[in-house]
Amino acid sequence: MTHISWKAVRAGLLAALVLLACAAPARAGGGHSGEDSWLMLTVTPGETPSTGENGTMLRCDPPRGHRHATDACAELTAADGRIADIPPREGVVCPMIYAPVTAHADGMWRGRPIDYTETFPNTCTMTARTGSIFTIA
C-alpha cells in the first residue's frame, strides 16, 4: 500500500494550478475579447434601413461569420471601429446609376456601441466607401 502525504498532494495540486494558469491564452487587443467586437450588418434596397433581424453577424478576434471577415475586421481595426472613417478605395469608378441601398451596422466594437446607417446611390459606391464591411451578399 502506497502512502501519500497531504503535503505531497497539496504540492501536486499547486503545481497543476500553476501549469493551468500558464497555459491560459492571453487576451489580445488591450484586454478586449472578440465577444465585445461584433456587428450585425444589413444591406437593404432603397432608402430605409432594415428593421428585421435578417443580416450577417461579423465577429472579430478571430474573424468569422462574414464571407470577407478577415478583411472587414482589419478595416474596422484600422478605423478603430468607425465605419465612416474607413478610407475610400482608390481608383474605383462606379456607374452613375441610381439604385439606392441602405447599409446598417449595429453592435459593439471593443466595448463601445456602434450604430451606423447610411444610404448610398448604389452598391458600387457603398463598397467603394465602406470597404469589405457590407459585402455580405
Side-chain angles (χ1 to χ4, degrees):
M1 181 170 185
T2 306
H3 291 293
I4 299 175
S5 71
W6 283 107
K7 191 175 187 180
V9 170
R10 280 187 290 216
L13 288 174
L14 181 60
L17 286 174
V18 169
L19 286 173
L20 284 174
C22 292
R27 284 185 165 180
H32 296 286
S33 72
E35 294 308 310
D36 60 4
S37 291
W38 60 271
L39 295 175
M40 176 59 89
L41 305 168
T42 58
V43 177
T44 309
E47 298 181 11
T48 306
S50 173
T51 57
E53 295 290 321
N54 295 334
T56 298
M57 177 69 73
L58 170 66
R59 295 184 183 273
C60 297
D61 300 325
R64 62 196 186 279
H66 182 292
R67 72 182 202 166
H68 299 287
T70 301
D71 293 336
C73 289
E75 291 164 353
L76 283 166
T77 298
D80 193 30
R82 294 179 183 89
I83 297 170
D85 291 347
I86 293 173
R89 291 184 175 174
E90 294 182 26
V92 175
V93 178
C94 292
M96 295 186 70
I97 297 172
Y98 188 68
V101 291
T102 300
H104 180 72
D106 184 43
M108 299 290 282
W109 183 259
R110 296 187 176 161
R112 188 178 72 240
I114 301 293
D115 187 14
Y116 171 89
T117 302
E118 187 166 346
T119 300
F120 298 92
N122 54 50
T123 56
C124 178
T125 305
M126 176 188 68
T127 302
R129 184 62 193 92
T130 62
S132 300
I133 307 299
F134 292 102
T135 55
I136 58 177

